[in-house]
Amino acid sequence: MTEFGANLVAMVTPMEPGGGLSEPGLARLVDHLLATGCDGLVVGGTTGESPTLSDAEAAGLVRAVAARTGGRARVIAGVGTYDTAASVRRAREAEAAGADALLVVCPYYSRPTQDGVLAHCLAVADATELPVMLYDVPARTGVAMALPTLVELARHPRIRAVKDAKGDLFEAMTVMSRTSLAYYCGIDELNLPYLACGAAGLVSVVANVSADRTADLIRAVRDGDLVKARAVNDALIPLTDTLMRAGTGAANAKAALAELGVIPYATVRLPLVEAGTPTRATPTPP
């Protein structure tokens, strides 16, 4: 167990049909996640539709989730943007709102050099007293955190973990062997191999719907029962396939939660569209 927890959920952000945040939906979702075994809630991350949240909304989500959890789980606030100054501001606002830790993504769109990635992450880590989980997801950011960058960032006393959505298991094992960084799998399809290679836990989209099963998976690996771990993983494959392999995880998870009655609506904000929304074909020019 680390200061971030083990069975972390990449939490969706419940919304009303008009796109505003749903306070009743948020309360019910937090209760559901705690009841099904989450010990860490990642608020305002990718699955929480972070690019569409205003600063006030992001801080308000952290405040509401922290109040609802009442210390029963760690609250990790997604504060990373493509703008270092904005990320620093969000980090300070998250700390003031009651976050227990920060999730800092590699800056996207600008495609900075590794020196830029390093400076960005250090600036955010220096902005508060909270522990930091780095978020390495090159498929979304266009830039990966290189191995030397991760090793250098590990020297900072508040940078203590990595959410790895890169999928390079050998690099992850190498960084774990050379640093004290706690690794968290950020790719639901690879939860079992990451745990088997020494990951401290998961940051899971699937846990929105089935945190009890991801908890079982973590427990089985920790107990050294790989036969049981494979059985749990096999049982999760259809759900993982449904949520993660078609469309977007945020929209699919919201649709599943709405179907289960956990949240009232499956609303997402553009440019995402609700799961099952038909694609309009582009007319052929005359």
Side-chain angles (χ1 to χ4, degrees):
M1 180 67 66
T2 76
E3 61 202 316
F4 300 92
N7 192 27
L8 279 60
V9 60
M11 199 177 85
V12 303
T13 301
M15 296 174 181
E16 302 289 344
L21 302 188
S22 171
E23 293 183 10
L26 184 65
R28 289 167 60 181
L29 177 59
V30 170
D31 291 347
H32 159 77
L33 295 172
L34 294 176
T36 53
C38 290
D39 58 4
L41 309 182
V42 176
V43 182
T46 301
T47 307
E49 300 174 69
S50 56
T52 71
L53 298 175
S54 69
D55 286 356
E57 287 174 330
L61 279 170
V62 172
R63 189 174 299 108
V65 172
R68 192 74 180 183
T69 60
R72 291 174 290 168
R74 309 295 281 175
V75 178
I76 299 96
V79 299
T81 72
Y82 49 71
D83 175 359
T84 303
S87 299
V88 165
R89 182 175 64 249
R90 284 204 175 191
R92 290 172 175 158
E93 291 171 349
E95 183 179 41
D100 297 303
L102 306 175
L103 179 72
V104 180
V105 71
C106 184
Y108 44 92
Y109 188 78
S110 298
R111 298 183 66 185
T113 64
Q114 289 301 303
D115 285 343
V117 173
L118 183 69
H120 173 89
C121 294
L122 291 175
V124 180
D126 283 338
T128 78
E129 297 300 317
L130 297 178
V132 170
M133 178 184 289
L134 303 171
Y135 182 16
D136 193 5
V137 57
R140 292 183 181 275
T141 63
V143 175
M145 295 180 180
L147 191 154
T149 302
L150 289 164
V151 172
E152 182 63 27
L153 287 169
R155 300 177 188 276
H156 193 287
R158 284 186 292 279
I159 296 177
R160 298 174 188 162
V162 178
K163 176 187 175 184
D164 188 345
K166 185 186 296 178
D168 186 336
L169 277 166
F170 185 74
E171 181 184 277
M173 290 187 291
T174 302
V175 175
M176 283 188 277
S177 73
R178 294 177 57 184
T179 75
S180 60
L181 290 172
Y183 260 67
Y184 288 77
C185 181
I187 306 174
D188 272 293
E189 298 93 321
L190 298 179
N191 283 340
L192 176 55
Y194 266 81
L195 290 169
C197 289
L202 314 174
V203 180
S204 170
V205 177
V206 170
N208 279 283
V209 179
S210 193
D212 52 346
R213 302 302 287 160
T214 53
D216 288 343
L217 180 63
I218 294 167
R219 190 177 304 111
V221 174
R222 283 185 175 170
D223 291 345
D225 190 345
L226 292 183
V227 172
K228 180 177 180 180
R230 285 195 296 270
V232 174
N233 190 67
D234 287 349
L236 275 169
I237 284 175
L239 178 61
T240 303
D241 184 46
T242 298
L243 294 185
M244 305 306 299
R245 306 292 282 186
T248 62
N252 291 339
K254 281 187 172 181
L257 287 164
E259 186 172 340
L260 291 171
V262 176
I263 60 176
Y265 308 106
T267 307
V268 291
R269 287 179 177 173
L270 288 171
L272 300 186
V273 295
E274 288 188 30
T277 300
T279 302
R280 295 191 179 93
T282 303
T284 303

